[in-house]
Structures are given as structure tokens and as C-alpha cells.
Amino acid sequence: MVSEGKPVGWRSQSEMDHYIRCPQCGALVDMRDLGEVLNHLHGQEIDEEPATMSVTCATCDGTGWVCENHPDRPWEGPRARGCGGAGAPCPACNIPADSETPRILEGYRVELDKDGWRH
């Protein structure tokens, strides 16, 4: 099992546990510093693996909408409160830029009037 890039239960025994010797130039490289690691690629290409993990907003469960009365809960889905409150754009992931409307749920539409968009 891995947590934050380290095996569970791993503890450094000394500061030197965080360093490796660069096979190209022999310098010590601090593996906690990505910039330092990248500087020691010496022109070598990095093989990238395709991303297999999808990131879902924990506030709205990826829907983009929360309950107006319970903004820490999704408006729809298994974790929704079902209190009858109106939906509101998720404050964590559905923040529209000025003069834009928030991302909407499939099957819904945004209504505009002289005051702007309504949710």
C-alpha cells in the first residue's frame, strides 16, 4: 500500500535516505526536489504512463452542483440530502468566470433574465 508516494510504514533512518547518486554525473540528488531530479535527467526522455485515475470533486461527487441549504453535500446522488433545497454551483469545482454560466447537469438548462443566470 502507498500513501503520498511512499510505502506505508516507511520512515527515513537518516537524511541521506532521501538522496541518490546521479548515474550520469555522480552528484547527490535530493529525491524530494522534483526540480533537482529533472535537472539530472541530462537530456534523457521521460516515458509517461497514461493516467488511469479520475479525479472527482469530494464536495459534489463530480456533478458540479451542491445543495443550496447544505453546500458541503451534492445536490443529486447517493450522498445528497434530498431536503428539497435548490441546487447551487459547487464552490469547489464549478466556479464560472465572469460573464459565463456554471457547468450544468445533463438534462438541465440555465435560464437567463435581466438579472443574469439563475440556479
Side-chain angles (χ1 to χ4, degrees), residues 88-112:
C90 178
C93 72
N94 196 5
I95 306 164
D98 290 339
S99 75
E100 290 186 9
T101 59
R103 187 175 76 246
I104 61 171
L105 291 167
E106 188 175 326
Y108 289 80
R109 62 184 163 80
V110 174
E111 293 183 12
L112 297 169

Side-chain angles (χ1 to χ4, degrees), residues 23-105:
Q24 287 286 95
C25 67
L28 283 176
V29 179
D30 186 344
M31 296 302 290
R32 298 169 293 184
D33 184 342
L34 179 60
E36 193 172 330
V37 171
L38 294 175
N39 284 336
H40 283 273
L41 288 176
H42 301 286
Q44 182 180 357
E45 294 291 320
I46 300 174
D47 292 330
E48 294 184 29
E49 294 182 21
T52 57
M53 184 176 85
S54 64
V55 178
T56 301
C57 177
T59 305
C60 67
D61 292 346
T63 65
W65 289 80
V66 295
C67 175
E68 188 174 66
N69 299 330
H70 306 95
D72 61 330
R73 302 294 289 267
W75 189 44
E76 291 188 335
R79 289 192 329 109
R81 291 295 293 237
C83 69
C90 178
C93 72
N94 196 5
I95 306 164
D98 290 339
S99 75
E100 290 186 9
T101 59
R103 187 175 76 246
I104 61 171
L105 291 167

